[in-house]
Amino acid sequence: MASPAFEEIVEDFAFLDDWEDRYATVIDMGKSLPDMDPALKVPATKVEGCASQVWLHPEITDGKFSFAGDSDAMIVKGLIAVLSALYTDLPLSEVSKVDAPAELARLGLNEHLSSQRSNGLRAMVERIRQYASEAA
């Protein structure tokens, strides 16, 4: 059920032998994430439950879901980019059907993120699902 963009990440990760390379790739993805409009960094878009500052702003265009996101931590910004690849351009009705933990496990992230980062990642996924269900 993953998007072609996410499948590309899975393929790229298959060629990376160790976590350090994957970690660097996630950080690079965060660096390439478009800047989020500072006006969108408000309490309503802030994701609670993350150790770092995280903002997600949903965008629905022609029935397809996407979001703008940002964080003050580079690895988290990279995780936002991974989630963006997973969810962007999905029909709104499909967002809640994505098994994000299973998809992210394909990247081997589960074994290498701290418990705080894992909790933050779960909070971001929950926020995305919440946005989609409210908009549906």
Side-chain angles (χ1 to χ4, degrees):
M1 170 142 192
S3 70
F6 186 79
E7 289 300 336
E8 190 174 314
I9 295 169
V10 172
E11 289 175 20
D12 290 346
F13 271 50
F15 292 104
L16 301 175
D17 292 328
D18 63 27
W19 172 244
E20 294 299 321
D21 292 337
R22 291 177 182 207
Y23 191 84
T25 299
V26 170
I27 289 174
D28 287 343
M29 291 174 63
K31 289 177 182 176
S32 66
L33 197 65
D35 289 334
M36 184 177 186
D37 182 345
L40 297 175
K41 294 180 182 180
V42 296
T45 62
K46 188 171 181 195
V47 178
E48 298 300 327
C50 297
S52 52
Q53 302 276 338
V54 177
W55 299 269
L56 298 177
H57 182 266
E59 300 170 355
I60 299 158
T61 306
D62 297 327
K64 297 208 177 193
F65 184 82
S66 65
F67 64 88
D70 200 1
S71 176
D72 60 351
M74 287 310 300
I75 186 67
V76 177
K77 196 167 181 173
L79 293 172
I80 292 168
V82 169
L83 289 175
S84 179
L86 183 60
Y87 288 104
T88 293
D89 289 335
L90 284 180
L92 194 56
S93 61
E94 297 296 312
V95 172
S96 64
K97 297 177 185 174
V98 173
D99 185 350
E103 294 296 341
L104 295 170
R106 295 171 60 202
L107 301 177
L109 294 175
N110 298 349
E111 305 94 48
H112 299 285
L113 293 177
S114 68
S115 61
Q116 284 183 321
R117 292 277 186 251
S118 293
N119 288 339
L121 188 56
R122 277 191 293 278
M124 287 187 279
V125 168
E126 185 54 39
R127 179 60 70 92
I128 289 166
R129 293 172 64 100
Q130 178 186 357
Y131 284 145
S133 68
E134 288 172 359

